[in-house]
Amino acid sequence: NVVGATNLLGLAKRLKVPILQASTSEVYGDPEVSPQNEDYRGHVNPIGPRACYDEGKRAAETLFFDYHRQHKLDTKVVRIFNTYGPHLDKYDGRVVSNFILQALKNEPITIYGDGSQTRSFCYVDDLVEGLIKMMASSHSGPINLGNPSEITIKELAETIIQLTGSTSNIIHQALPDDDPKRRNPDITLAKKTLNWEPTTDLTAGLIKTIDYFKTKS
Ligand code: UDP
């Protein structure tokens, strides 16, 4: 994140082109406030197993704002919350792909921890529209892009079992270190500055994603 951001910021400066950082809700770490707005400075463990990602993205945001201030570069930072949809990698180990694949094979659904942790899932087409609007705007951010509709991981498992008509049962496995307890975007700023908000609800998005995985499994 840091070396790549430095290289690409240098390139954008030489070419005099706008550049967007696909940052992440991970910059908020395991947040103490919910929902998270852009002013929240985060709660990140700097030495945990997720830290290389969280801190790498945070340092990259710093570089983007330094280039903006120092070189007047047209930089944009968006903080992307959990996103899903067709073309997710089958083996990326993320929750939506894992649960759908397990459900389609009628294998146990692996919930890490008790499943009370929450995430807010944004359908990919909504997210892409937000990215395009951000790139076309004069705002440098940071701006949250995500779907504010929050769900527990247990509810997600039950929804996917129901939508696939699966006979899978739920099993519990160890919760990874530093797994954020809640994640929910405050998108007031994106609504106001980009006139953007997601329009695909979770059920509609999951049906499309399940259809995609049916052709892949
Ligand atoms: N998770 C789970 N079972 C899985 C994969 C993930 O219970 O098979 C949980 C994980 O512990 C986390 C949530 O689902 O609480 C989202 O995990 P993911 O890796 O998809 O995204 P992130 O943690 O980066 O939001």
Side-chain angles (χ1 to χ4, degrees):
N1 281 318
V2 176
V3 176
T6 310
N7 291 342
L8 286 175
L9 284 162
L11 183 66
K13 185 184 152 201
R14 275 207 308 289
L15 299 179
K16 299 185 173 44
V17 292
I19 180 168
L20 178 142
Q21 182 199 359
S23 188
T24 168
S25 55
E26 289 280 329
V27 300
Y28 300 124
D30 188 6
E32 302 134 304
V33 297
S34 202
Q36 296 85 50
N37 70 26
E38 292 82 354
D39 293 332
Y40 178 54
R41 294 186 183 178
H43 182 228
V44 176
N45 174 1
I47 56 166
R50 301 174 88 97
C52 54
Y53 187 62
D54 299 5
E55 298 287 25
K57 288 287 193 182
R58 287 168 68 96
E61 287 196 8
T62 309
L63 288 165
F64 267 68
F65 277 85
D66 283 340
Y67 269 75
H68 183 66
R69 277 186 291 262
Q70 199 164 331
H71 302 298
K72 309 282 176 268
L73 196 61
D74 183 6
T75 56
K76 287 143 196 318
V77 174
V78 290
R79 294 178 176 157
I80 299 173
F81 284 64
N82 296 63
T83 302
Y84 72 99
H87 301 287
L88 267 177
D89 184 342
K90 263 172 92 166
Y91 301 111
D92 70 357
R94 310 298 297 281
V95 69
V96 173
S97 45
N98 275 11
F99 284 4
I100 292 178
L101 286 170
Q102 290 161 347
L104 289 176
K105 292 189 205 148
N106 295 308
E107 288 173 357
I109 307 276
T110 53
I111 289 187
Y112 303 158
D114 65 6
S116 64
Q117 69 271 34
T118 70
R119 294 292 185 273
S120 306
F121 295 97
C122 185
Y123 187 65
V124 61
D125 291 6
D126 286 333
L127 196 275
V128 169
E129 197 197 319
L131 291 173
I132 292 169
K133 284 191 165 177
M134 182 66 179
M135 210 57 194
S137 82
S138 58
H139 299 283
S140 47
I143 293 191
N144 289 338
L145 291 182
N147 191 319
S149 150
E150 187 178 14
I151 183 174
T152 66
I153 295 303
K154 183 166 177 286
E155 285 164 343
L156 178 71
E158 288 162 355
T159 305
I160 289 175
I161 289 172
Q162 193 218 329
L163 290 175
T164 51
S166 174
T167 57
S168 291
N169 61 331
I170 287 174
I171 59 168
H172 292 269
Q173 294 184 353
L175 189 66
D177 282 349
D178 295 337
D179 198 273
K181 182 78 188 137
R182 293 191 73 176
R183 192 95 55 58
N184 187 24
D186 180 334
I187 59 164
T188 309
L189 189 63
K191 279 187 191 163
K192 200 170 80 189
T193 57
L194 304 179
N195 191 26
W196 174 85
E197 68 181 310
T199 56
T200 309
D201 71 24
L202 185 63
T203 302
L206 282 176
I207 289 171
K208 290 185 187 172
T209 313
I210 290 165
D211 283 347
Y212 169 78
F213 277 105
K214 278 184 185 160
T215 67
K216 289 278 156 190
S217 50

